[in-house]
Amino acid sequence: MNKETILRKLTSRKFWLALVSFVTLVAAAFGMEEETTAQLGAIIMAGATVIAYIFGEGMVDAEKNE
């Protein structure tokens, strides 16, 4: 897996939704309260937004410099 493939996956909404789904389902299975599980999912999606923005802007900047 090369750097470009990893960056593309980290900026994928499908990847982040799958990750949030997995984490929240595991949290629910271990008996976490619904409110805590929802907060956990929201925190992951907020982080995903920042990560996708940073990598996306980095890819745009890299193309400008070529």
Side-chain angles (χ1 to χ4, degrees):
M1 199 180 284
N2 62 20
K3 182 180 176 181
E4 192 172 305
T5 303
I6 293 170
L7 289 175
R8 192 171 53 246
K9 292 203 183 287
L10 286 176
T11 58
S12 166
R13 287 175 282 184
K14 290 178 186 177
F15 168 76
W16 289 105
L17 288 174
L19 181 66
V20 167
S21 177
F22 174 76
V23 170
T24 56
L25 289 172
V26 169
F30 282 104
M32 283 184 126
E33 293 181 15
E34 186 176 335
E35 184 178 314
T36 304
T37 303
Q39 288 175 343
L40 183 60
I43 290 168
I44 293 170
M45 285 309 293
T49 302
V50 171
I51 290 169
Y53 178 78
I54 290 169
F55 282 121
E57 287 297 313
M59 289 169 34
V60 168
D61 290 345
E63 287 182 22
K64 285 181 183 177
N65 292 329
E66 289 182 0

